């Protein structure tokens, strides 16, 4: 069996440019890997092999005509809440079963413009609500490092596919950690860009003041390559920022001399797994050895972030998900009148976690409670944002764990929503502040589960966190390890 | 704001236009009250005079030229309609 599927994006792009392999061969190797492993892993909801091979042949033809876009012929998978013309887009929900997207999300269109081949659709927690991908209405996804464990979520399919070499790279979305946490659990690199860096046009909205699209990749360099491809102002998304898009990959390299990295004194908390803490502290030492100055900082309001998040995110979700009413697309369950039809359609179409969040979000916005919950949460959000502004006067980037634990077993947390919510304690503040963060592999537990280092930067300083991540990655072996999937027993 | 609120889950579900079964109400009630109890830790902060953050990266007055541009293909969009006729969505009668 070909091992082309194990290549990084940068390696594949170089091979394709030198005509050492064709995109058709590369895509075939990835499809073979999906065929071989995905019954066990369950990363993909749908794979359109025919379309992928057709795009690959078109990429090969384009290359022979002299075209040389940066991602020409490179296969990329996308999370099931990004619209791709002619493909399903279920958001992991029964309510969108049978929906066929009539357009490309801007991030997908930009990937295509950069030459990428769009592979298939990756599993997720329903409407991106969850941290384990167990809330998918269709199937669980399993962690390639240990098939009895979750891949994290909500972009669990996107992370598992990269870890299992079932895609060279994928796109996910991150509202409270949904790219970074699964990347940490699966041992890949997951980047949440600055709010507004990447257009959300064609991304099914969960919480509009928090959602961002970002790449999940095997290396930091690949993350930089994809970020340059998908970033930029888009007239279809008025929140996308009109800021220049650097060639992030070209800026990688060098040590960390002259950089100040902050360690938040509040983040090494009770409940942080001892092995996770050990790996993260060792990573901090490694960064110091690479020349960085480590400074202590304080983010005193971060402990309120989960509470703020579960008010703001559910409030926004309750409004965004109002569009699923059985009128224009998706499921319709007939009722006596329109109101009854909405009620029945939504009762039948949404899963338990989505219902829980819609009810919570509706409650915190309802008459008499809005000021006590929603407005107060927005004010505390200001305090969290200011904490970061103050911290970034003392440092260039911040180092934290990605999650308090490594990947847990399927079924372990599904009945305790609050416990699962607290798993996002290190990632949520970054979304609330609108800044950027990246998860980079930084070790393994004694049970051989990956641990992630979370590198957080100020708004639009993806260049800084990618530089830190790259320098760390190049000095450590973690990103080179591969899970052994075939030797694990199917559950 | 000191005693935990009793959430009227049925009423909130009505506001959300989402029917819930008795078993769902029974399951959601304690979960929601636990979560609301948790978020009420925000009450311990003094937020007097603090401006609320609606968007972390403020972008104001985003205008675009008012000009005719192509839109999504009507037929492709209507293909997703649960019920349609002559390019229109069909819904139950609203006014007798």
């Amino acid at each position: 069996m070909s091992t082309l599927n194990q290549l990084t994006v940068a390696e594949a792009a170089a091979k394709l440019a030198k005509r050492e392999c064709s995109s058709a061969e590369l895509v075939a190797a990835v499809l073979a890997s999906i065929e071989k492993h995905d019954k066990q892993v369950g990363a993909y909801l749908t794979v359109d092999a025919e379309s992928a091979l057709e795009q690959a042949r078109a990429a090969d033809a384009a290359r022979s005509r002299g075209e040389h876009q940066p991602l020409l012929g490179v296969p990329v998978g996308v999370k099931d809440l990004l619209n791709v013309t002619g493909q399903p887009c279920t958001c992991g929900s029964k309510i969108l079963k049978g929906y066929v997207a009539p357009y490309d999300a801007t991030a997908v269109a930009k990937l295509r413009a950069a030459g990428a081949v769009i592979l298939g659709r990756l599993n997720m927690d329903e409407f991106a609500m969850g941290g384990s991908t167990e809330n998918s209405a269709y199937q669980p996804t399993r962690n390639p490092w240990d098939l009895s464990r979750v891949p994290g979520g909500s972009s669990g399919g996107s992370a598992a596919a990269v870890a299992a070499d079932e895609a060279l790279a994928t796109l996910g979305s991150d509202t409270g950690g949904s790219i970074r946490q699964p990347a940490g659990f699966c041992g890949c690199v997951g980047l949440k860009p600055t709010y507004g860096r990447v257009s959300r046009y064609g991304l099914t909205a969960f919480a509009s003041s928090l959602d961002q699209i970002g790449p999940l990749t095997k290396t930091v360099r690949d993350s930089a390559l994809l970020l340059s491809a998908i970033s930029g102002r888009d007239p279809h998304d008025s929140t996308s920022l009109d800021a220049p898009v650097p060639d992030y990959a070209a800026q990688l390299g060098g040590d960390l001399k002259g950089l100040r990295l902050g360690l938040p004194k509040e983040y090494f908390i009770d409940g942080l797994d001892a092995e996770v803490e050990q790996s993260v502290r060792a990573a901090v030492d490694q960064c110091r050895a690479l020349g960085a100055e480590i400074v202590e900082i304080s983010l005193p309001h971060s402990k309120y972030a989960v509470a703020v998040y579960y008010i703001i995110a559910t409030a926004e979700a309750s409004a965004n998900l109002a569009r699923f009413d059985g009128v224009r697309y998706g499921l319709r369950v007939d009722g006596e009148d329109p109101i009854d039809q909405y009620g029945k359609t939504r009762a039948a179409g949404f899963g338990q976690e989505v219902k829980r969040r819609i009810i919570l979000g509706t409650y915190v916005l309802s008459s008499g409670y809005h000021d006590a919950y929603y407005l107060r949460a927005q004010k505390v959000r200001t305090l969290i944002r200011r904490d970061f502004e103050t911290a970034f006067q003392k440092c260039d980037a911040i180092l934290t764990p990605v999650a308090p634990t490594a990947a847990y077993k399927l079924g372990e947390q599904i009945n305790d929503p609050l416990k699962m919510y607290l798993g996002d304690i290190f990632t949520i503040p970054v979304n609330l502040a609108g800044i950027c963060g990246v998860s980079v592999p930084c070790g393994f537990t004694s049970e051989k589960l990956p641990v992630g280092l979370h590198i957080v930067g100020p708004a639009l300083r993806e260049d800084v966190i990618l530089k830190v991540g790259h320098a760390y990655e190049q000095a450590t072996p973690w990103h080179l390890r591969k899970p052994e999937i075939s030797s694990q027993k199917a559950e | 704001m000191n005693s935990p609120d009793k959430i009227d889950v049925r009423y909130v579900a009505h506001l959300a236009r989402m029917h819930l079964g008795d078993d769902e109400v029974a399951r959601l009630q304690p979960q929601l009250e636990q979560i609301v109890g948790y978020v009420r830790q925000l009450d311990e902060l003094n937020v007097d005079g603090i401006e609320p953050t609606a968007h972390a990266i403020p972008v104001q007055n985003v205008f675009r030229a008012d000009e005719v541009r192509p839109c999504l293909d009507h037929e492709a969009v209507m293909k997703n309609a649960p019920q349609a006729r002559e390019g229109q969505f069909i819904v139950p009668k609203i006014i007798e």
Side-chain angles (χ1 to χ4, degrees), chain A residues 100 304 332 355-356 382, chain B residues 24 31 44 51 53 80 90:
Chain A
V100 177
Y304 300 104
R332 171 185 288 193
K355 287 180 183 174
R356 188 152 54 222
T382 302
Chain B
E24 289 180 305
Q31 289 177 342
E44 71 196 42
E51 283 291 309
T53 294
N80 284 308
I90 304 286

Side-chain angles (χ1 to χ4, degrees), chain A residues 288-351:
Chain A
R288 190 186 284 115
L290 288 163
E293 182 193 344
I294 308 295
V295 296
E296 187 185 80
I297 56 157
S298 177
L299 298 168
H301 295 97
S302 279
K303 66 174 173 178
Y304 300 104
V306 174
V308 170
Y309 177 83
Y310 278 94
I311 294 170
I312 290 176
T314 58
E316 294 181 6
S318 73
N320 275 326
L321 270 60
R323 61 169 60 90
F324 300 104
D325 55 11
V327 172
R328 289 152 300 163
Y329 35 63
L331 180 73
R332 171 185 288 193
V333 179
D334 289 331
E336 288 166 21
D337 52 53
I339 302 287
D340 190 42
Q341 179 179 294
Y342 303 155
K344 284 182 172 155
T345 298
R346 291 157 67 77
F350 290 137

Side-chain angles (χ1 to χ4, degrees), chain A residues 170 239 278 491:
Chain A
T170 59
T239 64
Q278 206 179 356
E491 297 264 322

Side-chain angles (χ1 to χ4, degrees), chain B residues 4-21:
Chain B
D5 302 295
K6 182 82 180 160
I7 302 175
D8 186 346
V9 174
R10 282 227 173 274
Y11 172 67
V12 179
H14 168 71
L15 293 179
R17 301 292 183 263
M18 187 166 67
H19 293 345
L20 291 179

Side-chain angles (χ1 to χ4, degrees), chain A residues 415-446:
Chain A
N415 293 316
D416 191 346
L418 187 57
K419 190 173 179 197
M420 188 177 288
Y421 297 174
L422 290 168
D424 295 331
I425 186 139
F426 301 123
T427 46
I428 280 175
V430 173
N431 300 78
L432 291 172
I435 56 182
C436 59
V438 65
S439 172
V440 177
C442 75
F444 288 83
T445 66
S446 51

Side-chain angles (χ1 to χ4, degrees), chain B residues 27-63:
Chain B
R27 192 168 47 237
L28 282 168
Q29 186 86 46
Q31 289 177 342
L32 289 168
E33 279 166 7
Q34 189 201 12
I35 295 165
V36 168
Y38 175 80
V39 304
R40 290 184 62 126
Q41 65 176 280
L42 300 183
D43 293 352
E44 71 196 42
L45 285 167
N46 180 359
V47 292
D48 292 348
I50 306 287
E51 283 291 309
T53 294
H55 275 253
I57 314 279
V59 177
Q60 264 120 27
N61 296 340
V62 179
F63 296 114

